[in-house]
Amino acid sequence: MGDVFPRKTVLTILGLVVLSLALTGCGKEQPVLYVYNWGDYIDESILEEFEKETGIKVVYDTFSTNEDMYVKIKSGGSNYDVIFPSDYMVTRMINEGMLLEIDLEKIPNHVHIDPKLMGADYDPKNEYTLPYMWGTLGILYNTTMVEEGEVESWDVLWDAKYAKNILMLDSQRDSIGAALLKLGYSINTKDPRELAEAAELLKQQKPLVLAYVVDEGKDKMVAGEAALALTWSGEAMYAIAENPDLSYAIPKEGTNLWFDVMAIPKGAKNVEAAHKFMDFLNRPEIALRNAEYTGYSTPNLAAWEMLPEEVRNDPRAYPSEEVLANTEVFVSLGETLKEYDRIWTEVKAF
Amino acid sequence: MKRLSLTPYLIWMVLFTVVPMLLVLYYAFTVPTEGGVTWSLQNFARFFEPIYLRVFLRSLYLAVISTGICLLLGYPAAMVMAGNAFKRKHVVMLLFVVPMWMNFLLRTYAWLTILERNGFINALLGFFNLPRLNILYTNTAVVLGMVYNFLPFMVLPIYSVLSKIDKGVVEAAGDLGANPFQVFMKVILPLSMPGVVSGITMVFMPAMTTFVISRLLGGGQFTLIGNLIEQQFLVVGDWGFGSAISVVMIVVILLSMAVMSFFEGEEKDVALW
Amino acid sequence: MVRILKRTYIYLIFAFLYLPIAVLMVYSFNDARSRGMWGGFTLRWYVELFQDRTIMHSLYSTLIIGISSAVIATIIGTFAAIGIHNTRGVPKKLIMNVTYLPVLNPEIVTAISLMLLFVFSKVRFGYLTLLLSHITFNVPYVILSVLPKLRQLNKHLYEAALDLGCTPLQALWKVIIPEIMPGIITGLLLAFTLSIDDFVVSFFTTGSGVSTLSITVYSMARRGINPKINALSTIMFTFVLALLIIVNVRQAREERKERNGRRVPKKDSPYDPRFGSA
């Protein structure tokens, strides 16, 4: 074994170790903006343009779930200037005083955002956030396996005809939400009786469910592994782009309207730059590029108007006003979250 | 001099293992109340509700099976590697480890592609007009995923011990009249025990607390202890309960190892109370 | 004949281990973003990969942290194992059980407890905290790899070396360490592997601007893992394989030279035939 680690290799390795320790003391001189976003959720060329225009360096980190991001921000170990939480996480963060108020006057481009999408329940006066991307919760289905008429109601996800051909989301609020919507209740209910009914429904559904998926669901639908999937509109549009046999529907009972927003956490070092960045993102051309890169729906009206016809008028990505009127936004449940968790554990472990 | 070599590790251990563990214990034994926190066993009591016990038992069951299979597959592999079949053993050893340098999530996704209804295996079976297999989203898939991920951790310690067993001892046993089976059972196996125990340790523990494998390959239908703990910490925000579950698990595992080594007698100084 | 059977067994196991890797590599050439669909052959992901500054940055961080934490953990762990081996009774049991804690603990618990520790001690999150955490969960694995080898050691080897005139340090360096080398190498490999692939602990203990490859990949999961990552994995894998082949070929050449008598084994090496079989 003596030959495996010749002296040169050992020295190189030690050199790398020293180098890495030296890196721990690195500092920067120019102004820096720390951004924390979902992975692959922005057109990265935009960051370079922002850097060139303002001379502010952008350090861009990614997180995989709202919960992970929440723990990191709450612990105070990292200081980000701009973060991109989802709606339900926003209410929680506002209640716990984790967000800074934003100064809309420093973000003149916010006027381009669709007024219908401003002032949503999680932040009624947009004191802390601005919408970044939005969408709906609905049913992604394979048109070769399912008739279009069948997906008009949430009932289809409980249809025995599709046993083991249904994908539900491994996400408490979304799946419990689907059951609540089927029953005609609010997705933010705290009523124990309503929750018990939803729990029953989910347990009845379990034998019909192929799997409770997270992100891998869309690839499965693209591969034709299942006929129906509870999913979000953004993911649905991605899947449809990959497999034209797929389509997306919003049931008539109504659904959840979701937002991914931009916000400034307390502890942000460079609040000025944060505002500049948020303003930059809301420029119509920039918002347009982000919308085209991610394939999600943009709340920026001016950008929407510049989208190609088929996308702009696609009711799956940009549903009509009547559909929107029948939607609810998730709000924080406070202590009742534990009850939801209990139900969810029961459903999955039983 | 030998004691001195222990010092840097002791300092490290206290700082980075003991202190964080104290934090975990703090969360496990306290419950947030109006004014602050009170000491309470409430978190532990919650764990003993039937639903959570069921989760625990299922995790135990899957972990034991996975560890067993890893041992069954891994021991012979280690023996072959340590024997004369391959000239360049360290290359073979490296080849065991290299797959694990590819991202874990990516590899698990690859298993999805292999195991799903329209996946690789079924495509192959279909090509030969054989009936399709529904492996995904069953216990089998989860065990497969666990064995896949933990097999190298079982093979390597056993191999490193087997490779240095004095060949003279083995030959002597043969000379004294033992047949190959007896040589194995009475000489090689006992001598390799330290490696086996290390291997089991490195496989069983993570197998109990893994959550990505059961989530992706089990279709979220098998809530295991790992999923439960992760849920408590991240989604629910109930760090107390999450910590309590972890503490219970650690105690159970340490106890079972103490029992195991009690039966082995002698000086098996791997983990004892 | 038996030899062929033995080799076949290992090859079968390798087939099992490498099947997903093969799938990964094939999909790196897929002209479709989703792994659910085959869209034809393309090299575009490889091109896009090199233009992606985030991924390249993460790769760099991952390798640096991986190598450093593995090396440091191996050093600490080896000396710890030697120390533990020479301890007895209650202190030994206590130390062993505490050593197990990072292995036993669910990763999220280790991650969050370390994070809280760093927050309370007001350490700035970044490379340092990341490195410290990686070393912390690596050391137990090194200890677990080296200990069995120490137990296998002939108890009197150390004394014999001292009797023959070695100082304790020489005895350690020239006698003990070479004997336990397989364990040390195993520990090093395991530590490096764990470090490269870790997500949970890394995520919670890193600072702004420092991302590992794992973090980048997991963060992409929601939007669908971009095949650029497959391309990167393929390149990494090919690189490692190529390295192995080169090392192998070099060693084969050296062995051939030895057999032809042009080289003499190093003096005092345990493999020197004059000292009997190792």
Side-chain angles (χ1 to χ4, degrees), chain B residues 2 4 22 27 63 67 75 79 81 85 128-129 136 141 143 173 202 206-207 211 227 258 262 264:
Chain B
K2 293 279 183 82
L4 212 60
L22 290 175
Y27 277 107
T67 310
Y75 198 102
M79 278 186 73
M81 272 166 63
F128 291 114
N129 284 322
L136 203 53
V143 169
M202 289 201 265
F211 64 87
N227 303 83
F262 181 72
E264 298 212 60

Side-chain angles (χ1 to χ4, degrees), chain A residues 250-309:
Chain A
I250 301 173
K252 59 182 189 312
E253 293 98 338
T255 188
N256 161 249
L257 188 67
W258 62 263
F259 289 91
D260 284 333
V261 307
M262 44 180 113
I264 306 181
K266 276 222 178 90
K269 296 266 166 69
N270 202 340
V271 182
E272 278 301 310
H275 280 96
K276 278 208 192 116
F277 188 64
M278 286 167 72
D279 187 54
F280 187 75
L281 286 177
N282 277 308
R283 276 192 210 167
E285 329 79 65
I286 303 289
L288 175 69
R289 276 160 63 187
N290 270 332
E292 293 187 319
Y293 178 81
T294 61
Y296 279 43
S297 310
T298 178
N300 194 308
L301 211 51
W304 176 78
E305 279 164 11
M306 297 196 267
L307 285 168
E309 267 257 30

Side-chain angles (χ1 to χ4, degrees), chain C residues 211-250:
Chain C
S211 234
T212 62
L213 202 54
S214 258
I215 296 178
T216 308
V217 174
Y218 274 70
S219 311
M220 279 194 202
R222 184 178 111 150
R223 295 261 304 131
I225 297 187
N226 198 307
K228 281 188 273 194
I229 299 290
N230 291 48
L232 181 63
S233 298
T234 309
I235 295 180
M236 279 169 66
F237 181 70
T238 320
F239 178 72
V240 171
L241 262 190
L243 210 65
L244 273 182
I245 295 179
I246 295 177
V247 166
N248 232 359
V249 169
R250 270 187 56 200

Side-chain angles (χ1 to χ4, degrees), chain A residues 214-227:
Chain A
V214 263
D215 315 297
E216 74 274 20
K218 39 189 193 297
D219 285 329
K220 293 193 90 62
M221 287 303 285
V222 169
E225 290 282 310

Side-chain angles (χ1 to χ4, degrees), chain A residues 164 212 220 225 341-342, chain B residues 49 116-118 137 219 231:
Chain A
K164 292 297 181 192
Y212 295 90
K220 293 193 90 62
E225 290 282 310
D341 179 62
R342 196 170 201 298
Chain B
E49 291 173 34
E116 22 180 52
R117 282 177 178 165
N118 299 321
Y137 305 137
Q231 235 170 280

Side-chain angles (χ1 to χ4, degrees), chain C residues 39-131:
Chain C
F41 187 89
T42 181
L43 283 175
R44 68 168 153 132
W45 304 117
Y46 288 86
V47 175
E48 286 188 34
L49 172 66
F50 287 105
Q51 297 167 345
D52 189 326
R53 68 182 203 178
T54 319
I55 295 183
M56 297 315 275
H57 215 78
S58 322
L59 176 67
Y60 172 73
S61 308
T62 308
L63 287 175
I64 296 251
I65 294 282
I67 298 178
S68 331
S69 69
V71 169
I72 299 179
T74 305
I75 297 176
I76 298 183
T78 305
F79 284 113
I82 295 177
I84 293 176
H85 181 70
N86 287 292
T87 320
R88 294 267 177 278
V90 175
K92 177 178 206 165
K93 297 176 188 182
L94 198 60
I95 295 180
M96 277 314 294
N97 282 311
V98 176
T99 298
Y100 278 133
L101 283 178
V103 182
L104 280 181
N105 257 333
E107 287 195 284
I108 185 92
V109 173
T110 313
I112 293 199
S113 56
L114 279 172
M115 178 183 78
L116 289 176
L117 177 71
F118 292 135
V119 170
F120 282 142
S121 26
K122 305 229 193 284
V123 178
R124 197 183 133 231
F125 279 75
Y127 262 110
L128 183 64
T129 50
L130 191 58
L131 187 64

Side-chain angles (χ1 to χ4, degrees), chain A residues 66-86:
Chain A
N66 279 303
E67 288 73 16
D68 287 345
M69 183 255 329
Y70 168 79
V71 173
K72 279 221 85 173
I73 303 282
K74 180 139 190 136
S75 71
S78 324
N79 291 309
Y80 288 101
D81 301 306
V82 183
I83 57 177
F84 290 78
S86 302

